Every structure is written in structure tokens, then in C-alpha cells.
Amino acid sequence: MFPDPIVLSLFEQFFPEGIARYAIGGLFVGLGTAVIYAATAIAPGASTFLESTLTFVSDRSRFQQYRATRDWRIVFTVGIVLGAAVYALIWQGEVWTTDVQPWRLLAGGILVGIGTRIGKGCTSGHGVCGIGSRSKTSLVGVITFLGVAIATAQVVMALGVSP
């Protein structure tokens, strides 16, 4: 008997407004990834944006490796921000806001930055491109990212921490 009432109940609990927005978002992410890969033969990911931007102000060889690809990486990252803002304005009626304190956003950003450097990439690079190319390293990375994120969320919730 399908759909199982328990599965249906969980589905409705996790996706109270349905899955259409996630499916459409996923299609756009996949399409964007395919376009960038077809045009540049480089798997796109957001974590190299900072390093490619630093090529404008630093002569260190570490950053210069991104000089040839920095233009599309900057456009890619600006597109992510603008795309989210356009979506928020059109479908939500306002620009995204948060109740999270700025110091927590900064601390979280620093931890994510350190993690992406240690993990040799971010969830967008490993999750979309790495798994799509059947990379075992990316699969382990994504499982680790998600496992730590789920555990962290559970601990934070159990401690009663709020924004």
C-alpha cells in the first residue's frame, strides 16, 4: 500500500509547503552547474570565490592560481546573491532577513571557511559536482558535512540556543 501513512506524515512534516520549490531550485542549480562546466570545463563551487577575489589585491602564488578563472567566479557568486534577493523580493515580498546575531553569523562564516579549506571544497562543489562525477572523496565529504550539521543542530536545539 503506497504511500505509507507514516512516510506521508513525515513527508508533510518536513515539507509542509510541498517539494516544488526544492525541485525547481535543484533544477536551476543543476542547469547552472552544467552551463558553467560546459563553458569552462571547471566544476563550479563557491568556496574558491574568496581566493579568486584575493588575486586582485595579493601577489601570493597561492591566490594567483585562480587569476585565469576569477572573472566567472565573481559573476557566479554575485549571481548567487542576486538570485536569492530577486527570489525573496518577488515571491516573499521582502529581502531575506535573519534574527541571528551578527557575531554568530561571522563566527559561523569563519568556521565554514576553515572547513572548506580543510575539506578541499564546499558543499556546493562536493555535493553537486563531486557526487555528480562519482567522486568517492566528495561522497565522504558530503556525508561528513551533513552528519556534523545534523549533530550540531541537534545539540544546539537540545541546549535551547536561539538566534
Side-chain angles (χ1 to χ4, degrees):
M1 156 167 115
F2 189 80
D4 184 330
I6 294 172
V7 172
L8 188 57
S9 174
L10 284 172
F11 187 82
E12 289 173 352
Q13 179 183 353
F14 290 127
F15 304 103
E17 297 179 30
I19 64 164
R21 68 173 60 190
Y22 307 110
I24 293 168
L27 288 172
F28 277 112
V29 169
L31 179 62
T33 299
V35 167
I36 291 172
Y37 188 78
T40 65
I42 297 172
S47 65
T48 53
F49 168 72
L50 177 61
E51 288 183 316
S52 62
T53 303
L54 290 173
T55 63
F56 289 108
V57 295
S58 175
D59 291 330
R60 295 186 70 177
S61 62
R62 170 182 183 79
F63 304 125
Q64 296 310 311
Q65 67 181 333
Y66 298 104
R67 182 177 288 277
T69 61
R70 71 180 175 193
D71 294 339
W72 77 258
R73 290 180 192 278
I74 291 170
V75 171
F76 174 70
T77 305
V78 169
I80 291 172
V81 174
L82 289 179
V86 167
Y87 175 85
L89 284 173
I90 292 174
W91 283 281
Q92 295 174 332
E94 63 182 341
V95 177
W96 178 78
T97 60
T98 182
D99 293 330
V100 178
Q101 298 168 347
W103 73 267
R104 289 185 177 173
L105 292 172
L106 178 63
I110 290 170
L111 290 172
V112 167
I114 292 168
T116 59
R117 180 55 34 220
I118 293 169
K120 303 279 190 223
C122 60
T123 52
S124 63
H126 284 297
V128 176
C129 302
I131 289 179
S133 63
R134 299 171 60 188
S135 165
K136 291 176 186 169
T137 303
S138 290
L139 179 61
V140 170
V142 170
I143 289 169
T144 303
F145 298 153
L146 292 176
V148 170
I150 291 167
T152 301
Q154 294 302 311
V155 168
V156 167
M157 187 173 68
L159 293 174
V161 177
S162 64

